[in-house]
Amino acid sequence: MPTKNSRLRVALLTVAVAVAGLALAGPAAAATPQTATTASTAQQTPAIPVDFVDLATSPLAADGETHEVTLTYRNDSTTDRTVAPQLLVESPDAGPFLDPSDIEVERRTAGGCWEPVDLGTQTGTLFTDLSTAQRTLRAGETLTEVYRLTATDPAAQGTVHPRVALFD
């Protein structure tokens, strides 16, 4: 199990660095309005997680049914904290590796509707994007995020791993 954990941590660090680089050079950076103050200073580096809170994992159910996964995290500190919920779907250690087309992921919006979620993939792990999920959680507030997963490939195998990225 330590090998899988190490592989996952290395993959996630690689993804975080790649996302940070893309965010600096991508369209979002170009579309950011520049003021006289920010134009004369160096661009700020995008936030990179300092820690993760791992939540209970479960096997990926490849039964064609829709299954809900709820991520809950309470900011027990006395200060505001930037957090981002993330859903990982990990392939078996011995493969076969999952492909984003093997599962469908949706997220419940604040209005109660479901919206599709794009998945990234790295070293056999599918993941939701951290950069678009970041939010400030006030001291004492609780974050609850609900996802729906449907395995579209009946042969898909893996582990559903919800977690919360902590920034600051």
Side-chain angles (χ1 to χ4, degrees):
M1 194 67 170
T3 301
K4 184 173 187 173
N5 210 5
S6 296
R7 179 180 76 166
L8 178 61
R9 289 192 190 276
V10 168
L12 294 173
L13 180 58
T14 302
V15 169
V17 170
V19 167
L22 288 174
L24 282 175
T32 303
Q34 297 289 319
T35 63
T37 306
T38 59
S40 63
T41 60
Q43 277 189 328
Q44 289 184 340
T45 304
I48 294 181
V50 295
D51 201 5
F52 291 93
V53 176
D54 294 317
L55 304 173
T57 62
S58 62
L60 175 64
D63 57 6
E65 300 291 321
T66 299
H67 300 274
E68 286 190 9
V69 176
T70 302
L71 285 79
T72 303
Y73 172 76
R74 180 173 172 78
N75 180 6
D76 288 330
S77 74
T78 57
T79 61
D80 295 352
R81 178 152 231 180
T82 301
V83 301
Q86 186 176 48
L87 193 62
L88 306 173
V89 183
E90 302 163 346
S91 297
D93 284 335
F97 286 162
L98 293 165
D99 187 85
S101 64
D102 292 338
I103 64 171
E104 291 178 358
V105 178
E106 298 171 289
R107 184 185 68 82
R108 185 180 301 155
T109 66
C113 299
W114 293 99
E115 66 181 10
V117 175
D118 292 328
L119 296 173
T121 182
Q122 179 85 26
T123 319
T125 300
L126 306 179
F127 56 89
T128 58
D129 183 37
L130 286 175
S131 64
T132 59
Q134 288 182 28
R135 66 200 65 186
T136 299
L137 195 59
R138 304 282 179 231
E141 284 185 333
T142 299
L143 165 74
T144 301
E145 193 77 33
V146 181
Y147 293 93
R148 286 196 312 198
L149 269 75
T150 307
T152 57
D153 179 354
Q157 296 178 11
T159 302
V160 178
H161 181 173
R163 67 185 193 165
V164 176
L166 305 176
F167 299 82
D168 301 330

